[in-house]
Amino acid sequence: MGEQPVRVLACGDVEGRLNALFNRVQTIQKKTGQFDLLLCVGEFFGTTPEAEAEWQQYKTGAKKVPIHTYILGAASQETVKNFPGADGCELAENITYLGRRGVFTGVSGLQIAYVSGREALQEPAPAHCFTAKDLSALVAPLTSSSKFRGVDILLTSQWPRGVWHYANNPEVNTKFCGSSSVANLADKLKPRYHFAALEGAHYERLPYRNHVVLQENAQHVSRFIALATVNNPAKKKYLYAFNIIPMKTMDPSELVKQPQDVTENPYRRSTKDKTDTLKTGFSTAEEEGEEQPSQFFFDLSKKQGGGHRGRGRKRHPDGDGRGRDQQHDGDGHHQGQPKQPRRHPQPTGPCWFCLASPQVEKHLVISIGTHCYLALAKGGLTPHHMLILPIGHYQSVVDLSSEVVEEMEKYKSALKSFYRSKGERCVLFERNYRSQHLQLQVVPVPLDRCATEDIKEAFMVQAQEQQMELMEIPEHTELKQIAPPGTPYFYVELDSGEKLFYRIQKHFPLQFGREVLASEAVLNIPTRADWKECKQSREEEEESCKQLRDDFQPYDFAWDD
């Protein structure tokens, strides 16, 4: 096989919606070519008469399954009847039940470990549950070999408990989510990809390490991805596509490459970490869900290259050593204390965007609030291209305290109303990469130029051309749930409320946001993609600003205060 990547699709709970799933797969394959296999975690079968009728069509061959599909067993008593027993078998053409637990090695050498169902709370275990015996029977033969480095893929229906530690927060109730046996299994099997479902949520955790830095040899990282239910009304992601070269054919130095946003291993928290979380006599399993959100950011001091957990200071990722007290960072004040009037954070060196700094070009300022201000963009794409900036020195949206975020939202809606009065919709974008002060760019696009869909498409297409995967973020997800402070990223917000996000890996075209908006598909002013080409004289800037200040005044809440 050599270094041929295997093209894999993974899917969350299908719950009997087979037509919806296979139609979607067919559409994807038409666009991007054939995938080698589809792996389904969670509950595959449904319990409704419609689900039963759909299944019969595939079972009898009246409908064809467009891809080799591998599924896990029942995760509830109601669906047990669809599986002949604990051993894997073919249920219909192209649909294979893997079995209760085991390892499946594909033709390519891809090694997939799997465990069906939920953790049993009593013996004898019901048919839709697994026991500790099942897990040791799976782990022992694999880990006993001295050559064992991990498996390529792990499929479980349940989430591993505590997978969110040191990382972005999932949209689930972490108090009750997941199984500690699955966490233990993932820790031992070191999968490069681990998929799970059952929670109705989509969650892509930052990759985590499988070795202790400076104490053990580097190993590959693991990625945990939870997928939502097929065709869920909230349109959360339920299908995940990726290419993977089997571990056994990979160059070891390639395999252990560490991505920029890698975190500590969530399953190996030192006992000190655990006692820090809660000073109570709870068992680990219970306490693991109890972590407070403020603690969650506190944990990050571990991986920011800053000192030890608990010191509350962190080095800034740009290495400028701005130690800020993290607990104030997260929420602006300690719980239970009266709010102190806060000073704006100050930069350590010259900054072009701090309002208090001598470098700032004051003549470009349109409006000043309590925590944020509005300025005309220098060399703007259009005459009304503006920036929303924090008055204090913040690197990115995810570093902001709650009152700054609140005021930023007020500026966003004031600008939206202002542009609407001019027959324009606005696109917001932020690049947290090679920038030292947060600039939220706000660019108006005339309604008659193109639809929001076209703008979204333009971003997606140009990102693909540059081999970047822009992800869509669920509507009510905040950026800081996905990108802990210090993560370089590019972010777009459309007037429909849709948000696109890209975690910057190595290089990123600095003018990307402008290039997309200047392109033919959107504003069709390709020569204005670079701001340096659009500079105006100081007099022109002052004139434009004065005009814009007067125009914007009726929408400017800062005037009323």
Side-chain angles (χ1 to χ4, degrees):
M1 285 297 287
E3 295 238 334
Q4 247 339 81
V6 185
R7 303 189 70 212
V8 186
L9 284 170
C11 176
D13 303 275
V14 182
E15 291 183 351
R17 300 182 188 91
L18 305 181
N19 292 341
L21 169 63
F22 293 132
N23 291 344
R24 181 88 188 94
V25 169
Q26 251 170 324
T27 311
I28 292 172
Q29 298 202 122
K30 271 201 189 106
K31 260 195 199 154
T32 62
Q34 196 65 27
F35 276 78
D36 298 299
L37 54 158
L38 165 65
L39 306 171
C40 298
V41 288
E43 202 68 278
F44 184 75
F45 288 102
T47 50
T48 62
E50 297 81 50
E52 185 51 43
E54 280 187 34
W55 166 236
Q56 284 311 320
Q57 292 187 291
Y58 290 96
K59 195 175 172 178
T60 57
K63 281 196 164 167
K64 292 274 179 270
V65 178
I67 186 171
H68 291 301
T69 304
Y70 296 89
I71 72 171
L72 292 180
S76 65
Q77 199 49 60
E78 295 75 52
T79 55
V80 168
K81 60 178 189 312
N82 295 292
F83 298 92
D87 295 329
C89 59
E90 187 166 81
L91 298 179
E93 190 184 343
N94 261 352
I95 296 187
T96 305
Y97 160 45
L98 287 165
R100 186 165 179 163
R101 54 152 170 86
V103 179
F104 165 76
T105 305
V107 196
S108 58
L110 192 70
Q111 200 177 37
I112 303 171
Y114 57 89
V115 177
S116 290
R118 299 170 186 268
E119 184 176 0
L121 302 173
Q122 77 274 359
E123 289 276 3
H128 65 282
C129 293
F130 61 84
T131 64
K133 280 198 198 99
D134 284 312
L135 300 189
S136 35
L138 173 59
V139 170
L142 286 168
T143 54
S144 60
S145 150
S146 59
K147 288 201 181 75
F148 179 75
R149 286 180 296 174
V151 296
D152 288 305
I153 298 173
L154 172 62
L155 306 176
T156 62
S157 286
Q158 265 183 310
W159 284 35
R161 187 152 189 74
V163 65
W164 45 85
H165 288 304
Y166 306 132
N168 39 326
N169 255 356
E171 289 183 316
V172 294
N173 181 344
T174 50
K175 241 184 207 145
F176 304 110
C177 172
S179 138
S180 23
S181 310
V182 172
N184 200 356
L185 178 73
D187 185 28
K188 290 199 166 73
L189 292 186
K190 305 182 177 68
R192 289 161 68 201
Y193 284 88
H194 177 183
F195 294 98
L198 297 184
E199 296 290 336
H202 164 233
Y203 173 57
E204 291 188 32
R205 189 204 185 282
L206 292 170
Y208 62 84
R209 290 190 192 96
N210 281 300
H211 63 279
V212 180
V213 182
L214 301 178
Q215 291 176 31
E216 298 173 335
N217 290 338
Q219 295 187 38
H220 61 270
V221 298
S222 291
R223 290 178 159 82
F224 172 73
I225 294 139
L227 293 162
T229 313
V230 170
N231 256 13
N232 63 85
K235 298 207 168 6
K236 292 180 193 164
K237 185 167 174 171
Y238 62 84
L239 257 189
Y240 181 90
F242 64 110
N243 288 347
I244 183 170
I245 294 171
M247 199 185 286
K248 54 184 278 186
T249 62
M250 253 185 111
D251 176 324
S253 64
E254 275 299 305
L255 178 65
V256 302
K257 277 193 175 157
Q258 304 290 302
Q260 233 176 348
D261 52 358
V262 66
T263 79
E264 293 299 330
N265 187 313
Y267 311 127
R268 301 190 199 168
R269 296 158 70 225
S270 66
T271 39
K272 178 180 181 313
D273 277 4
K274 290 184 181 173
T275 51
D276 270 6
T277 311
L278 270 195
K279 303 271 191 286
T280 61
F282 282 158
S283 73
T284 329
E286 276 183 273
E287 91 186 9
E288 287 204 318
E290 295 282 345
E291 200 156 70
Q292 303 305 317
S294 58
Q295 193 103 31
F296 158 75
F297 284 114
F298 207 42
D299 272 356
L300 291 166
S301 57
K302 256 305 223 268
K303 71 161 221 258
Q304 296 291 10
H308 304 290
R309 181 190 154 91
R311 281 228 314 258
R313 309 284 276 185
K314 64 169 193 182
R315 256 184 89 76
H316 208 269
D318 287 348
D320 61 0
R322 285 203 307 272
R324 300 204 303 263
D325 186 317
Q326 284 232 214
Q327 287 193 317
H328 285 280
D329 216 23
D331 194 24
H333 64 291
H334 285 293
Q335 270 72 26
Q337 287 185 5
K339 235 180 181 174
Q340 300 298 316
R342 54 188 300 148
R343 277 184 62 240
H344 295 298
Q346 301 302 315
T348 48
C351 175
W352 288 98
F353 297 104
C354 280
L355 202 49
S357 120
Q359 286 82 12
V360 80
E361 300 198 52
K362 300 268 193 304
H363 68 286
L364 294 173
V365 175
I366 303 288
S367 160
I368 301 178
T370 318
H371 307 285
C372 299
Y373 72 101
L374 198 56
L376 182 69
K378 213 171 170 55
L381 272 165
T382 70
H384 291 161
H385 175 173
M386 291 192 246
L387 306 176
I388 307 175
L389 304 115
I391 292 173
H393 191 81
Y394 293 97
Q395 162 106 17
S396 70
V397 165
V398 299
D399 290 306
L400 298 180
S401 60
S402 50
E403 59 266 49
V404 186
V405 171
E406 237 163 86
E407 192 171 88
M408 198 165 253
E409 289 302 325
K410 276 172 85 171
Y411 268 122
K412 279 187 199 174
S413 41
L415 283 171
K416 282 179 185 166
S417 313
F418 169 62
Y419 290 138
R420 210 171 295 129
S421 73
K422 305 247 176 246
E424 297 168 325
R425 67 177 94 244
C426 70
V427 180
L428 294 99
F429 67 90
E430 179 203 357
R431 183 192 81 228
N432 179 27
Y433 171 73
R434 291 184 47 191
S435 56
Q436 55 159 339
H437 188 111
L438 156 63
Q439 305 155 53
L440 194 59
Q441 311 260 353
V442 193
V443 182
V445 177
L447 293 170
D448 54 10
R449 275 264 354 129
C450 57
T452 309
E453 261 313 298
D454 304 322
I455 300 174
K456 182 178 173 183
E457 175 101 341
F459 272 104
M460 291 302 214
V461 168
Q462 291 209 29
Q464 264 176 334
E465 282 171 9
Q466 312 248 11
Q467 267 89 52
M468 303 185 305
E469 194 200 353
L470 264 181
M471 291 184 339
E472 195 166 333
I473 308 177
E475 204 175 327
H476 302 296
T477 303
E478 282 186 56
L479 211 49
K480 50 170 77 167
Q481 291 173 285
I482 298 173
T487 312
Y489 63 79
F490 176 77
Y491 166 73
V492 185
E493 202 173 305
L494 301 167
D495 62 319
S496 54
E498 292 169 286
K499 303 172 193 169
L500 309 173
F501 172 82
Y502 170 63
R503 182 172 293 114
I504 295 174
Q505 308 298 344
K506 283 202 191 81
H507 304 296
F508 182 77
L510 297 183
Q511 302 292 346
F512 179 71
R514 286 186 66 122
E515 281 166 7
V516 173
L517 294 175
S519 71
E520 205 177 328
V522 188
L523 289 165
N524 195 12
I525 40 174
T527 53
R528 297 189 71 86
D530 188 344
W531 71 275
K532 295 191 193 77
E533 303 294 311
C534 311
K535 275 194 195 152
Q536 294 178 297
S537 70
R538 173 125 187 170
E539 289 69 45
E540 289 172 321
E541 285 179 342
E542 282 175 356
E543 189 45 49
S544 311
C545 248
K546 185 179 170 308
Q547 181 68 55
L548 191 49
R549 239 176 261 133
D550 296 345
D551 255 11
F552 180 64
Q553 196 194 323
Y555 302 89
D556 189 354
F557 59 88
W559 271 80
D560 315 334
D561 293 351

